[in-house]
Amino acid sequence: MKATTLVFSACFMLLSTIVMAQFNAPESVEYDPVNNRYFVANSGNGEILSLVPGNAPTSFVTGVGSGPHGLEVVGNTLYVCSGGSLKGYDVTSAAQVVNANLNATFLNGITSDGSSNLYITDFSAQSIIRYDVTNDVFNTFVASTGSTPNGIIYDGPNNRLVFVSWGNNAPIKAVSLADSSVTTLTTTTLDNIDGIAMNNQGQFYVSSWGQQDINRFENDFVAAPVPLNVAGLTDPADLYYNLTTDTLAIPSSGSAYDVTFIGFNTGVNIEKETGINFHIEVAPNPADEYTYINYELPHNSSVLLKVFDANGRLVRILANESQSKGQQRVHFDTSELTGGIYYYTLQTDYGENTGPIAVTK
């Protein structure tokens, strides 16, 4: 993947008549698709900022408490790691709607499985907690990670979580969602890895304080990582990859106190409509337990059919193969998904198309 030039660096500005909020040890970045903006966790002053790239940040919530650290948007709620507690705020009104004591020591990284579960690393206890957002219950999903866990990401196509670790030659590890077993994917030469994010191609980006840079790994973690050589980073922290715009957001929690955005010139934009007619029909739509994606190929073609949630996160790869000319019918099991709007993206040798799938519960 080739990166474009640096798109922009969002720095605070002081206007003559309006005093805008400032970055203060920004630790985590998360996209808010409801209001088309980013949230930034200011770990230096217990504040969460609202940021439209290219503009000065403004205050969203103050007085969060410890941290805040990891952020994750699920539906209309922004979930926030704050010490040993998980807090939640309505993304539009900023009203606090969740305050759950998870009996943790230092909640750090957080990710969603695209359904009802959040997975949160406890940095100090070296464990991973699972929190059910629907029923407001939690349990220890991994009692011992065997290293100090930091950032974490859900990898749906491989039914696993991938998390990075703190320390020298920091390992990157996977957790099987089937049985919660932990395996080491690679022992890196990087020191103090903080954040991890995944792009549309299933590649992983990780941030390291030791190298003050971002490195990209392939999905199997076999090849050596590729450094991005991003200038000006200081203690790059919890990354976010916006799948809908192919943009990587990097908070610098050190002296730079900044958020850097890098745009990439490949990938899937689920908001893009190409105008190519594949005669696609999704039925039933809305779906409850399942639906079918039916389409007609005018020629033999390679086919990549993916489903994303409303936040642009990859939920499922339904097809990745060569298919013959003619009618195709792909089953999509929606039984474990939460209600809401999802998007399919069909890529072929001669174009792509995107459409919505409503899931009701």
Side-chain angles (χ1 to χ4, degrees), residues 241-253:
Y241 195 97
N242 191 330
L243 296 172
T244 65
T245 61
D246 271 318
T247 302
L248 180 66
I250 311 166
S252 281
S253 61

Side-chain angles (χ1 to χ4, degrees), residues 7-229:
V7 177
F8 38 72
S9 180
C11 303
F12 72 85
M13 298 180 292
L14 295 179
L15 305 182
S16 58
T17 56
I18 302 175
V19 178
M20 308 300 270
Q22 300 180 16
F23 294 125
N24 190 332
E27 171 65 26
S28 182
V29 182
E30 175 74 5
Y31 182 62
D32 170 21
V34 175
N35 299 288
N36 192 27
R37 62 181 172 179
Y38 290 86
F39 291 120
V40 181
N42 259 357
S43 64
N45 63 357
E47 183 180 26
I48 298 172
L49 304 179
S50 171
L51 175 64
V52 176
N55 295 277
T58 58
S59 182
F60 176 70
V61 170
T62 59
V64 173
S66 178
H69 285 82
L71 305 177
E72 184 76 8
V73 171
V74 178
N76 292 315
T77 303
L78 170 66
Y79 291 92
V80 181
C81 295
S82 178
S85 297
L86 180 69
K87 299 181 179 182
Y89 301 89
D90 185 279
V91 297
T92 301
S93 69
Q96 185 169 354
V97 293
V98 176
N99 188 12
N101 183 353
L102 303 189
N103 298 326
T105 308
F106 176 14
L107 299 176
N108 197 327
I110 181 171
T111 190
S112 165
D113 66 2
S115 182
S116 63
N117 293 311
L118 296 173
Y119 296 90
I120 311 165
T121 61
D122 188 333
F123 185 91
S124 299
Q126 296 189 358
S127 64
I128 297 174
I129 296 171
R130 177 171 58 187
Y131 176 81
D132 184 335
V133 302
T134 302
N135 299 303
D136 188 28
V137 294
F138 68 94
N139 69 295
T140 299
F141 189 66
V142 177
S144 177
T145 56
S147 60
T148 303
N150 207 318
I152 188 170
I153 193 74
Y154 169 65
D155 180 7
N158 292 293
N159 196 36
R160 66 183 181 180
L161 307 169
V162 179
F163 70 89
V164 295
S165 306
W166 202 250
N168 296 328
N169 298 320
I172 300 175
K173 298 184 177 183
V175 180
S176 168
L177 289 175
D179 59 11
S180 73
S181 60
V182 179
T183 56
T184 298
L185 296 170
T186 182
T187 300
T188 75
T189 59
L190 306 175
D191 300 325
N192 294 335
I193 305 179
D194 192 310
I196 183 169
M198 187 171 67
N199 66 13
N200 286 293
Q201 287 72 43
Q203 298 167 313
F204 294 92
Y205 296 90
V206 304
S207 57
S208 60
W209 285 30
Q211 285 65 36
Q212 298 293 330
D213 198 8
I214 310 300
N215 280 264
R216 189 185 73 234
F217 288 84
E218 296 301 319
N219 193 271
D220 59 7
F221 290 91
V222 173
V226 177
L228 296 192
N229 297 317

